[in-house]
């Protein structure tokens, strides 16, 4: 009973935002503001997980095609926070459903000239029809599966665009252990969080969706990102092979 009560209290505090959302005004406004927020937040987050990202993406090169060049597609590229971790000469396809990220994306590309941008597509992870079947060696997705409408469809698209033997690299915050206080606060904050996190869910069990997807190999581990009291602290990190 405590969870619904606290949820109602938070919803009461966010009543003006809920009214704007019902009128169809909040989402267009926040889509313009959100890239500016992420431009400030992404570097702070990168500092926290720098070693983990460096270790994870150090494996990208082994999935390069016969030519030696790596064809990489990133879902939800945002501000390009991952670009610094990608290998030189990487042939990059960027996708994001929010076109307001474009100027931040271009700024990141100018700072990471070791990469070659092949194309940038305004598209959601659930519908990557502009990308051909088996067209890429690697798909990368970080802090995106928490906010997509349909995680299963995104992973189906990942499998479709990957070549056989290609890999899906991920780093996502996920639901905590259901018996923990972290999970309690995730459930309390979830209804309100989506308005401030552009549809983000704090308690999504992304690891279960990955386990259900038809990958030939899944390398996954759980980590905690500071501060540990935060509802976004529990993460999964790893890669899966088609």
């Amino acid at each position: 009973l405590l969870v619904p009560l606290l949820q109602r209290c938070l919803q009461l505090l966010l009543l003006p935002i809920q009214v704007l959302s019902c009128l169809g005004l909040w989402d267009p406004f926040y889509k313009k503001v959100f890239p500016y927020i992420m431009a400030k937040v992404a570097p702070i987050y990168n500092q926290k997980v720098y070693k983990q990202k460096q270790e994870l993406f150090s494996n990208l090169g082994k999935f390069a095609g016969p030519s030696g060049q790596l064809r990489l597609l990133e879902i939800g590229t945002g501000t390009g926070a991952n670009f610094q971790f990608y290998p030189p000469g990487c042939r990059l396809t960027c996708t994001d459903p929010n076109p307001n990220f474009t100027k931040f994306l271009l700024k990141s590309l100018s700072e990471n000239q070791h990469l070659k941008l092949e194309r940038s597509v305004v598209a959601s992870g659930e519908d990557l029809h502009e990308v051909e079947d088996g067209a890429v060696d690697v798909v990368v997705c970080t802090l995106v599966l928490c906010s997509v409408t349909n995680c299963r469809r995104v992973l189906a698209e990942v499998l479709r665009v990957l070549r056989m033997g290609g890999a899906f690299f991920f780093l996502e915050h996920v639901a905590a252990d259901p018996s923990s206080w972290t999970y309690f606060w995730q459930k309390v904050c979830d209804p309100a969080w989506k308005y401030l996190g552009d549809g983000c869910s704090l308690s999504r069990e992304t690891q279960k969706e990955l386990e259900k997807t038809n990958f030939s190999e899944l390398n996954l581990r759980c980590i905690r990102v500071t501060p540990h009291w935060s509802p976004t602290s529990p993460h999964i990190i790893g890669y899966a092979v088609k």
Side-chain angles (χ1 to χ4, degrees):
L1 294 175
L2 188 57
V3 169
L5 177 62
L6 291 172
Q7 284 178 341
R8 292 294 177 87
C9 291
L10 276 176
Q11 287 171 340
L12 189 61
L13 289 172
L14 294 176
L15 187 58
I17 293 176
Q18 288 180 297
V19 171
L20 289 172
S21 181
C22 289
L23 294 173
L25 300 174
W26 177 252
D27 193 57
F29 164 75
Y30 200 66
K31 285 280 190 275
K32 293 179 180 179
V33 173
F34 191 59
Y36 290 90
I37 295 173
M38 291 308 298
K40 298 293 184 182
V41 171
I44 298 170
Y45 178 79
N46 261 358
Q47 287 180 349
K48 293 180 180 180
V49 296
Y50 185 84
K51 289 183 179 179
Q52 290 91 338
K53 278 192 175 185
Q54 194 174 43
E55 180 184 358
L56 175 68
F57 293 133
S58 67
N59 292 319
L60 286 172
K62 73 178 187 180
F63 293 100
S67 67
Q69 279 194 314
L70 182 73
R71 300 170 301 168
L72 187 152
L73 180 147
E74 182 168 358
I75 297 174
T77 307
T79 61
N82 292 324
F83 288 173
Q84 62 182 296
F85 301 99
Y86 294 161
C90 184
R91 294 165 54 191
L92 185 63
T93 297
C94 298
T95 70
D96 201 289
N98 188 346
N100 297 300
F101 273 110
T102 300
K103 76 172 188 177
F104 298 98
L105 175 68
L106 293 174
K107 181 177 182 293
S108 289
L109 284 168
S110 69
E111 295 169 351
N112 292 276
Q113 295 188 10
H114 63 289
L115 302 177
K116 178 185 176 183
L117 179 66
E118 292 212 319
R119 58 176 164 167
S120 181
V121 181
V122 177
S124 69
E126 291 92 341
D127 184 9
L128 300 173
H129 68 272
E130 293 187 46
V131 182
E132 300 81 9
D133 295 3
V136 297
D137 303 306
V138 165
V139 176
V140 172
C141 192
T142 62
L143 301 186
V144 172
L145 295 178
C146 56
S147 58
V148 298
T149 304
N150 190 318
C151 189
R152 190 168 298 180
R153 281 184 60 187
V154 174
L155 293 175
E157 281 289 82
V158 168
L159 279 177
R160 181 184 66 78
V161 301
L162 276 175
R163 65 164 175 82
M164 190 61 66
F168 173 55
F169 284 71
F170 55 87
L171 172 62
E172 299 285 339
H173 72 79
V174 293
D177 186 314
S179 64
S180 67
W181 276 107
T182 302
Y183 185 77
F184 172 83
W185 287 111
Q186 284 178 336
K187 299 303 289 185
V188 168
C189 297
D190 240 347
W193 191 268
K194 67 178 182 179
Y195 293 111
L196 304 177
D198 199 24
C200 174
S201 171
L202 291 168
S203 58
R204 186 161 288 177
E205 296 179 326
T206 306
Q207 59 271 43
K208 290 187 177 180
E209 293 299 330
L210 284 164
E211 289 166 358
K212 291 176 187 175
T213 307
N214 193 27
F215 289 111
S216 65
E217 178 185 341
L218 177 60
N219 300 277
L220 179 153
R221 64 189 178 96
C222 299
I223 61 172
R224 301 278 298 205
V225 174
T226 57
H228 290 169
W229 51 262
S230 168
T232 59
S233 177
H235 278 59
I236 56 171
I237 185 171
Y239 65 94
V241 181
K242 179 176 177 179

